[in-house]
Amino acid sequence: MQILVVEDEDAIADPLGEGLRREGFEVTRVGTGAGALEAPIPDLVLLDLRLPDLDGTEVCRRLRARSDVPIIIVSAKGEEIDRVVGLELGADDYVVKPFGFRELLARIRAVMRRVRPEEGDDVLRAGRLEVDVRARRASVGQLELELTPKEFALLTLLAGDSGAVVTRERILREVWDTDWFGSSKTIDVHVASLRRKLGDARWIETVRGVGLRLAPQP
Ligand code: CA
């Protein structure tokens, strides 16, 4: 997923871009409103309101005039007036600086879920693997997998972005609902069991120090 970060301050844009890339997003960054309007339309825009050339609200309005791209406005504390204006201009959400990275991530995911409600997303496919999210069933070819709820959630998360690395932090957060990184061992236990059930350990690759990747096997 491609995120366009429109932010003129390196001190904010650099760590933000780095954090988003670690979460598996592709990040393009521009430092001006003109740059934002020239950039290819991404999957989501993080838009700072105080830009050196154009007002962020104007950028928002122009982006909205030509596309439905989700826009999250990022602004400094106390600019409450901008909140109303921003949302009226068609922004999808609003965060106030300084914001926590986790909070921003949650907003990004919430906005994406809203604008793409389960986009073809009920049945995930990766090679012979099929995960029917709604029916809570998973199968490899003709073989129906009997999974525990956590195994199912883990497999759904991996199959949702087959081939991409899903970080351990994200797995803990989305499957176990915790930020307690100490519980990584828990992941290993479930992965081992899931690999057994998939019938070939190579279905789930461990990317050392980063996370896991679903690698469809023939
Ligand atoms: Ca700024």
Side-chain angles (χ1 to χ4, degrees):
M1 195 183 115
Q2 182 81 41
I3 296 185
L4 177 65
V5 174
V6 187
E7 170 64 70
D8 56 318
E9 286 167 71
D10 294 345
I12 293 170
D14 291 348
L16 180 59
E18 204 176 295
L20 290 171
R21 282 187 195 101
R22 258 202 320 271
E23 291 294 321
F25 297 107
E26 285 169 50
V27 180
T28 312
R29 185 250 177 142
V30 294
T32 61
L37 296 170
E38 283 161 13
I41 305 275
D43 297 307
L44 184 136
V45 179
L46 287 179
L47 177 62
D48 178 31
L49 281 188
R50 295 280 160 91
L51 295 166
D53 55 345
L54 290 165
D55 190 284
T57 54
E58 179 61 18
V59 177
C60 183
R61 197 183 59 75
R62 290 200 212 166
L63 281 174
R64 182 52 75 237
R66 61 190 181 128
S67 99
D68 288 330
V69 62
I71 301 171
I72 298 179
I73 285 184
V74 178
S75 192
K77 218 170 195 155
E79 296 175 340
E80 295 304 324
I81 182 76
D82 295 331
R83 178 186 174 83
V84 177
V85 173
L87 296 178
E88 274 174 3
L89 288 170
D92 295 89
D93 204 351
Y94 187 98
V95 290
V96 176
K97 285 187 238 180
F99 51 82
F101 183 64
R102 294 282 156 222
E103 183 201 343
L104 179 67
L105 267 187
R107 300 289 191 92
I108 289 173
R109 296 211 166 102
V111 166
M112 291 314 293
R113 273 197 298 273
R114 254 198 335 264
V115 299
R116 293 182 178 169
E118 309 303 317
E119 189 185 87
D121 205 324
D122 285 350
V123 180
L124 306 170
R125 289 186 181 85
R128 291 185 303 128
L129 173 70
E130 253 189 42
V131 182
D132 187 331
V133 179
R134 203 171 272 176
R136 300 196 72 75
R137 291 168 67 158
S139 57
V140 175
Q142 301 300 318
L143 175 69
E144 186 94 10
L145 306 180
E146 288 191 23
L147 305 178
T148 66
K150 289 298 183 204
E151 288 165 359
F152 186 84
L154 177 58
L155 187 60
T156 301
L157 182 59
L158 295 175
D161 205 353
S162 177
V165 180
V166 181
T167 63
R168 286 184 168 260
E169 287 81 358
R170 183 168 167 207
I171 293 167
L172 285 173
R173 211 168 47 242
E174 296 193 13
V175 178
W176 276 273
D177 205 18
T178 176
D179 270 327
W180 183 48
F181 300 155
S183 53
S184 267
K185 279 256 169 352
T186 310
I187 297 181
D188 298 335
V189 171
H190 285 79
V191 167
S193 167
L194 197 46
R195 279 179 173 142
R196 243 182 349 261
K197 292 179 181 180
L198 285 163
D200 186 334
R202 292 172 298 179
W203 268 94
I204 300 176
E205 274 177 27
T206 300
V207 182
R208 236 169 237 302
V210 186
L212 300 170
R213 169 169 41 214
L214 190 74
Q217 299 300 314

